[in-house]
Amino acid sequence: TETSLAHVPVGTGNDLAQTVGLNKKSRPEQNLRNILEGKVRLFDVGRAVDEYFINSVGVGFAAETAKNLVKYKKLGGFTSYVVAVYQTFFTYEAPELHVQTADFSEHGQILMVEVTLGKTTGGGFTVSPSADPCDGKLDVCMIRRVGTPTFLRYLPRVIRGTHVGLPPIEVFQADRVEVQSFAGPPIVHLDGELRFADRDTLVVEILPGILPVLCAA
């Protein structure tokens, strides 16, 4: 519709706040004033498992982290995500996946596939540093299985967004992404909310420029 979305960050991760130009550490009243004084941009919207998302959808490690996050939410914000990430890595086995787009194909043990519209997920991990929610493209970050030393060395770079080009990581754009799981229907997160796919292959599509969003910057 023509009704614009006005976002006020009061959740755990608040990744959309950065996308719309808000400081998620500001009081909700201040953010509400800032966003209502903003300008409208037409955002892309993603679709997966018969639902819509506006920031990211993830399979594998990110979805498992979202499942474990509930145990650490009392820590608050980004800290809760970091603790959940480390706990998940040491108990999680990278699944066998097949990732397919029009220009990319890979099969193997893949730690995670994160398909984004915004730059950050998980409360501040800059998985897609070049993402633009208005460019009509899905941004994909795929990380292959890595050992503990590599994980510990590269995690800070994923937080900062300087991981693009590292050997275990592929970052690229697509109009449609298919992720086939060979262990049955995968657990998926949409904007941090857990969902259970009803088939082995997750299909992620984009609806370009359909959501009016108020942006402070």
Side-chain angles (χ1 to χ4, degrees), residues 10 25 45 47 57 59 62 72 74 84 87 100 119 132 147 149 162 164 166 171 178 208 214:
V10 292
K25 295 181 180 180
V45 171
R47 184 171 176 86
V57 58
V59 178
Y72 304 106
K74 62 183 179 181
Q87 188 270 327
Q100 184 74 47
K119 297 179 187 295
D132 179 346
T162 60
V164 179
L166 293 175
V171 178
E178 295 185 8
L214 279 166

Side-chain angles (χ1 to χ4, degrees), residues 182-204:
F182 290 83
I187 299 175
V188 180
H189 87 79
L190 282 89
D191 292 333
E193 301 296 330
L194 287 180
R195 298 292 185 265
F196 295 88
D198 61 358
R199 61 197 69 181
D200 294 347
T201 299
L202 173 73
V203 177
V204 186

Side-chain angles (χ1 to χ4, degrees), residues 43-174:
F43 274 33
D44 305 327
V45 171
R47 184 171 176 86
V49 292
D50 295 324
E51 291 190 45
Y52 299 103
F53 65 92
I54 55 175
N55 189 64
S56 68
V57 58
V59 178
F61 182 77
E64 192 72 15
T65 299
K67 185 174 74 173
N68 291 332
L69 179 66
V70 66
K71 295 181 288 187
Y72 304 106
K73 277 197 172 184
K74 62 183 179 181
L75 298 174
F78 187 55
T79 301
S80 63
Y81 279 96
V82 171
V83 173
V85 161
Y86 278 104
Q87 188 270 327
T88 301
F89 180 78
F90 292 112
T91 59
Y92 183 69
E93 180 65 29
E96 182 183 0
L97 301 175
H98 181 81
V99 182
Q100 184 74 47
T101 74
D103 303 310
F104 180 88
S105 180
E106 180 154 341
H107 182 125
Q109 284 190 283
I110 296 171
L111 184 67
M112 63 172 264
V113 180
E114 192 78 2
V115 182
T116 79
L117 298 170
K119 297 179 187 295
T120 70
T121 64
F125 290 86
T126 312
V127 298
S128 301
S130 299
D132 179 346
C134 305
D135 67 358
K137 292 290 185 179
L138 297 166
D139 287 80
V140 185
C141 178
M142 188 197 81
I143 303 179
R144 302 175 181 91
R145 183 181 65 171
V146 295
T148 300
T150 301
F151 176 81
L152 295 175
R153 187 167 70 251
Y154 286 168
L155 184 62
R157 296 190 60 170
V158 177
I159 294 173
R160 297 192 302 267
T162 60
H163 57 288
V164 179
L166 293 175
I169 301 174
E170 299 286 347
V171 178
F172 54 92
Q173 289 189 314

